[in-house]
């Protein structure tokens, strides 16, 4: 019995011991897990110096940008083109770019220099006109590439007196363009032949740049009203098809055009003003110039032209300013020309004329006709006899001398009687003479 009790007691003690150890192990695991949990959530830790990182709330993603609003799809298309161009402008003395903010480029108080209009056949607004005249914009990379040629709906591009660099970009895709003024900039390269495909172009002004080479003869087949290309580096013989142009105003001054004035010039029926001054033209004046019965200005000063003045000039009934100064003209000044009633300025100075009749002498008295430095011996302020003799001994004879006496408006052309008041009047400013000033804006 005692043995059974001892065995039972030992067994019970063993069971209790195992139970105690199990409880102790469970308690230790609980403590370990709790410590781990405290460390994870930022509490507890064995080291008193332990500083757990603060919890950061999860940030929300930024809202998507609001889409830009445009007044029409055509404005949306051209907007990045305008902004890219804006980034090229480094000098803006008139603070134009301060108005170039937002997306409403058609607003009246925004985007000065840009004008909009409804695109034909739609209700969509389009960028129709660029007016940068006299803005004096500048920049080291200020070019017209990727700007002018990207404005597919533009009709007018006026950028007189700025600092554009490089060449004139292609404009053949601008089928609505009818006025292009890039005068008084720093453009270089050859004459932009792409204008030949700008089928609606009527106004082309490229004066006061550094364009070189020649003008394609096809330019004179265009239906242009205005062609101003003076003050460049254009070098060529005047093309025979010069008279195919339909222009009202031609200004070729201050280049290096050579050769004679083509006879075809008489075919430009609507021509009002033409400036050939300061080139290297040679030969005799064709009588066909007398067919320009609407012309008010004809200027060939400072060339190498020669021969007598054709009598056909007596048909230039509307001529106000006739300038043949500083050439090699000679002979008798035709009285029929001095009878033109509209003449305000008639300059023959620095030539080799030898005779002047009474009607021309009357114009000299009225200070309308200038014959200084010729070979008219009985007048003052003339060349020396030695100069005159030397020239006249080697003068150039015109090949068709009979044409010099042909009067296309008849043997007795209809002319208004000289008007005293008209002769004493002051010459009116002309559009083409204004182009000889680089920053002068024409009002045609």
């Amino acid at each position: 019995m005692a043995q059974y009790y001892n065995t039972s007691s030992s067994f019970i003690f063993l069971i209790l011991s195992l139970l105690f150890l199990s409880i102790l192990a469970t308690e230790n695991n609980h403590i370990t897990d709790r410590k781990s949990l405290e460390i994870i959530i930022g509490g507890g830790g064995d080291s008193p110096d332990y500083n757990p990182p603060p919890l950061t709330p999860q940030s929300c993603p930024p809202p998507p940008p609001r889409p830009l609003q445009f007044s029409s799809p055509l404005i949306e298309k051209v907007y990045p083109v305008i902004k890219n161009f804006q980034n090229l402008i480094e000098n803006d003395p008139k603070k134009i770019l301060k108005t170039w903010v937002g997306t409403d480029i058609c607003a009246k108080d925004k985007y000065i220099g840009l004008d909009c209009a409804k695109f034909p056949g739609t209700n969509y607004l389009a960028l129709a006109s660029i007016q940068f005249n006299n803005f004096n914009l500048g920049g080291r990379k200020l070019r017209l590439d990727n700007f002018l040629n990207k404005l597919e709906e533009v009709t007018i591009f006026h950028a007189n007196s700025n600092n554009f660099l490089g060449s004139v970009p292609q404009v053949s895709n601008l089928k609505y363009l009818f006025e292009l003024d890039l005068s008084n900039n720093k453009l270089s390269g050859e004459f932009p032949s792409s204008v030949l495909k700008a089928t609606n172009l009527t106004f082309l002004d490229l004066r006061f740049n550094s364009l070189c080479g020649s003008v394609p003869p096809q330019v004179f087949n265009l239906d242009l009203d205005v062609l101003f290309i003076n003050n460049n580096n254009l070098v060529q013989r005047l093309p025979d098809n010069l008279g195919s142009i339909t222009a009202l105003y031609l200004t070729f001054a201050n280049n290096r055009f050579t050769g004679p004035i083509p006879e075809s010039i008489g075919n430009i029926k609507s021509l009002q003003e033409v400036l050939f001054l300061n080139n290297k033209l040679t030969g005799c004046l064709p009588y066909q110039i007398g067919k320009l019965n609407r012309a008010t200005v004809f200027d060939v000063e400072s060339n190498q032209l020669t021969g007598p003045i054709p009598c056909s000039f007596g048909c230039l009934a509307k001529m106000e300013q006739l300038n043949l100064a500083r050439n090699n003209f000679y002979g008798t000044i035709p009285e029929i020309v001095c009878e033109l009633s509209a003449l305000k300025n008639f300059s023959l100075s620095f030539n080799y004329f030898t005779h002047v009749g009474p009607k021309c002498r009357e114009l000299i008295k009225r200070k309308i006709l200038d014959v200084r430095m010729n070979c008219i011996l009985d007048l003052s302020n003339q060349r020396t006899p030695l100069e005159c003799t030397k020239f006249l001994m080697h003068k150039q004879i015109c090949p068709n001398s009979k044409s010099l006496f042909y009067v296309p408006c008849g043997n007795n052309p209809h002319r208004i009687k000289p008007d005293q008041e008209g002769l004493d009047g002051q010459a009116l400013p002309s559009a083409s003479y204004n182009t000889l000033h680089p920053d002068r804006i024409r009002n045609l």
Side-chain angles (χ1 to χ4, degrees):
M1 181 70 181
Q3 185 179 359
Y4 174 78
Y5 174 80
N6 289 337
T7 302
S8 298
S9 299
S10 298
F11 179 77
I12 292 172
F13 177 78
L14 178 62
I15 293 299
L16 290 174
S17 297
L18 291 173
L19 180 62
F20 176 77
L21 291 174
S22 175
I23 293 171
L24 183 62
T26 303
E27 183 67 18
N28 288 338
N29 288 341
H30 174 70
I31 293 171
T32 303
D33 291 344
R34 182 178 178 183
K35 286 183 178 180
S36 299
L37 181 61
E38 286 177 350
I39 292 172
I40 291 173
I41 64 174
D46 290 335
S47 172
D49 296 330
Y50 174 73
N51 293 313
L55 290 177
T56 57
Q58 186 175 2
S59 59
C60 297
R66 180 180 297 180
L68 299 177
Q69 300 295 319
F70 297 96
S71 54
S72 82
L74 297 178
I75 298 301
E76 182 177 5
K77 180 183 70 173
V78 81
Y79 179 78
V81 176
I82 294 169
K83 287 301 174 181
N84 289 337
F85 171 73
Q86 183 176 354
N87 292 334
L88 300 178
I89 301 174
E90 298 174 354
N91 300 318
D92 177 23
K94 296 190 175 182
K95 310 301 180 185
I96 301 299
L97 296 186
K98 285 188 174 182
T99 68
W100 286 29
V101 293
T103 61
D104 190 1
I105 70 173
C106 299
K108 290 184 178 180
D109 58 340
K110 298 284 186 69
Y111 288 89
I112 291 177
L114 309 184
D115 293 310
C116 299
K118 284 188 178 180
F119 189 75
T122 74
N123 288 322
Y124 292 148
L125 284 173
L127 179 58
S129 174
I130 299 291
Q131 301 284 352
F132 289 168
N133 282 343
N134 285 320
F135 279 9
N136 201 26
L137 301 174
R140 288 168 294 179
K141 298 181 180 179
L142 187 62
R143 300 172 64 96
L144 290 167
D145 306 83
N146 297 316
F147 180 56
L148 170 59
N149 53 311
K150 300 291 186 180
L151 307 179
E152 296 182 2
E153 290 80 34
V154 75
T155 61
I156 296 174
F157 193 98
H158 288 177
N160 175 301
S161 303
N162 286 280
N163 296 284
F164 288 111
L165 304 169
S167 58
V168 180
Q170 291 283 327
V171 295
S172 54
N173 61 318
L174 307 182
K175 59 183 178 180
Y176 303 102
L177 183 66
F178 66 90
E179 288 193 11
L180 180 59
D181 181 357
L182 301 178
S183 60
N184 196 24
N185 280 281
K186 297 177 180 178
L187 299 172
S188 58
E190 296 185 349
F191 186 93
S193 58
S194 66
V195 300
L196 298 173
K197 296 183 179 179
T199 55
N200 286 316
L201 195 65
T202 62
F203 184 106
L204 182 58
D205 187 349
L206 301 173
R207 60 196 170 95
F208 285 98
N209 281 289
S210 298
L211 301 179
C212 60
S214 60
V215 181
Q218 297 88 338
V219 169
F220 301 100
N221 295 328
L222 296 176
D223 191 17
L224 291 174
D225 292 332
V226 169
L227 179 60
F228 294 150
I229 53 177
N230 55 286
N231 293 83
N232 279 285
N233 294 318
L234 300 171
V235 183
Q236 72 180 102
R237 185 182 178 93
L238 284 179
D240 291 336
N241 70 328
L242 173 67
S244 298
I245 202 166
T246 57
L248 303 173
Y249 304 94
L250 294 176
T251 307
F252 291 16
N254 302 314
N255 281 285
R256 286 182 283 170
F257 286 101
T258 62
I261 297 175
E263 296 178 355
S264 65
I265 191 174
N267 298 331
I268 314 177
K269 302 302 182 184
S270 56
L271 186 61
Q272 296 181 20
E273 300 178 6
V274 57
L275 301 185
F276 288 126
L277 64 101
N278 197 24
N279 279 282
K280 297 182 180 297
L281 301 179
T282 57
C284 300
L285 295 174
Y287 83 87
Q288 287 86 351
I289 293 173
K291 295 181 178 181
L292 303 176
N293 54 18
R294 297 185 182 181
T296 60
V297 175
F298 184 83
D299 193 329
V300 293
E301 181 182 355
S302 297
N303 280 281
Q304 300 165 24
L305 296 163
T306 191
I309 300 175
C311 291
S312 64
F313 275 45
C315 297
L316 302 174
K318 295 185 178 181
M319 185 61 62
E320 298 177 4
Q321 302 188 57
L322 180 57
N323 190 354
L324 310 182
R326 298 182 183 277
N327 281 281
N328 295 318
F329 295 117
Y330 58 86
T332 299
I333 303 172
E335 288 280 271
I336 191 174
V337 180
C338 293
E339 290 180 350
L340 294 173
S341 62
L343 277 178
K344 304 295 192 302
N345 288 317
F346 184 16
S347 182
L348 301 176
S349 60
F350 292 88
N351 280 289
Y352 295 90
F353 290 104
T354 53
H355 297 89
V356 56
K359 294 177 181 177
C360 293
R361 289 176 184 267
E362 183 65 24
L363 295 187
I364 295 172
K365 290 180 182 179
R366 299 186 186 284
K367 301 186 183 303
I368 292 173
L369 174 57
D370 182 2
V371 292
R372 290 172 299 129
M373 299 305 292
N374 275 278
C375 299
I376 307 170
L377 298 180
D378 64 324
L379 295 180
S380 61
N381 201 11
Q382 300 292 299
R383 295 183 185 272
T384 65
L386 182 60
E387 284 183 280
C388 295
T389 300
K390 184 177 180 180
F391 171 81
L392 293 172
M393 286 180 63
H394 300 91
K395 66 183 180 182
Q396 180 180 340
I397 305 299
C398 295
N400 188 6
S401 58
K402 290 183 179 180
S403 68
L404 297 172
F405 302 98
Y406 176 61
V407 181
C409 51
N411 291 329
N412 295 301
H414 175 70
R415 298 186 301 277
I416 302 172
K417 294 292 183 181
D419 187 330
Q420 175 72 34
E421 190 174 67
L423 290 174
D424 289 337
Q426 296 295 317
L428 297 175
S430 69
S432 53
Y433 277 124
N434 283 340
T435 67
L436 300 181
H437 303 278
D439 57 350
R440 188 71 58 87
I441 305 301
R442 304 151 323 283
N443 293 312
L444 299 178

